[in-house]
Amino acid sequence: MSLNQLIQKCSNHDTQAQSELYQLFSSKLFSVCLKYSRNYAEAEDNLQDAFLTIFKKISQFNNKGSFEGWLKRIAINTALQRYRGQGVFEIIHEDFIADEDIEIDDEDISLDFLLKIIQELPDRYRLVFNMYVLDGYSHKEIADLLRITDGTSKSNLARARKILKDKIEAYKAGFNAQSL
């Protein structure tokens, strides 16, 4: 069955087609949810909520852009929705912090470690970092989605990068000390 046929069947509330769509995309969307969630359990909840929205709105997909991109946007918005009512994105008038470049020596830093330290960032920093660095959103788009200012988005990104840089440097220092 083609993807267009699957989408059409899901639009008609065909539960077998919905199950097949879930099987096709759940692992990719779970990765997205995990990036935007505090922990594994919250990511599972976000995935379930995202699929409920997907099945409810699938008839609105109009073949403009990729279907996978449409799914990903719903998953991200679902995760962000959890934070909107929690005051996580309270606008704070902060001076802009210079953007930190993070240089990573692939031999010293594992992907698991990077994911772990990104997950440990405070919510507002983690979400802005993920949206800007990993998903390619502009500061304007982030500001609109999170209902913050462009400056707050830039400041949160800079602070996230600074925290990550400090953790990477501490990790490398510990790693180099162990290899002596």
Side-chain angles (χ1 to χ4, degrees):
M1 176 177 348
S2 75
L3 183 58
N4 285 336
Q5 290 171 322
L6 191 59
I7 292 168
Q8 185 57 45
K9 285 187 175 199
C10 286
S11 294
N12 295 329
H13 309 288
D14 181 321
T15 56
Q16 188 173 356
Q18 290 174 339
S19 177
E20 190 173 331
L21 188 78
Y22 183 88
Q23 294 302 316
L24 275 174
F25 292 102
S26 62
S27 62
K28 287 181 183 180
L29 294 182
F30 182 73
S31 296
V32 171
C33 290
L34 195 55
K35 284 191 311 191
Y36 289 92
S37 303
R38 291 181 183 113
N39 54 50
Y40 195 89
E42 187 176 280
E44 289 177 324
D45 289 345
N46 286 333
L47 179 67
Q48 291 305 111
D49 291 345
F51 269 102
L52 290 173
T53 302
I54 288 164
F55 295 141
K56 183 178 178 182
K57 296 185 176 193
I58 198 162
S59 62
Q60 296 174 12
F61 177 69
N62 54 11
N63 288 318
K64 289 184 181 175
S66 78
F67 182 64
E68 190 171 326
W70 184 79
L71 295 174
K72 183 178 174 183
R73 200 160 210 43
I74 288 175
I76 290 170
N77 284 329
T78 299
L80 294 179
Q81 190 63 38
R82 280 193 190 273
Y83 296 105
R84 286 190 183 118
Q86 297 177 358
V88 171
F89 301 113
E90 184 178 322
I91 297 177
I92 298 171
H93 298 288
E94 301 179 44
D95 293 330
F96 177 71
I97 301 169
D99 212 5
E100 294 278 339
D101 283 332
I102 301 174
E103 293 188 26
I104 300 171
D105 182 356
D106 291 344
E107 294 175 16
D108 292 348
I109 307 294
S110 72
L111 180 59
D112 287 340
F113 175 74
L114 286 174
L115 293 174
K116 179 182 175 293
I117 63 174
I118 291 169
Q119 197 75 25
E120 291 171 350
L121 287 169
D123 292 337
R124 65 188 178 140
Y125 299 158
R126 184 184 73 252
L127 296 173
V128 170
F129 179 85
N130 285 336
M131 292 177 80
Y132 187 85
V133 174
L134 303 179
D135 291 321
Y137 285 85
S138 70
H139 285 294
K140 170 111 179 71
E141 291 170 315
I142 294 168
D144 290 345
L145 284 167
L146 302 181
R147 299 180 186 133
I148 59 176
T149 66
D150 290 10
T152 300
S153 176
K154 290 175 184 177
S155 177
N156 286 347
L157 175 63
R159 288 181 185 270
R161 286 184 166 167
K162 173 79 170 105
I163 292 168
L164 293 173
K165 182 179 180 183
D166 291 348
K167 287 185 176 195
I168 289 169
E169 287 174 355
Y171 177 81
K172 282 184 172 182
F175 181 79
N176 289 335
Q178 289 177 353
S179 61
L180 294 178

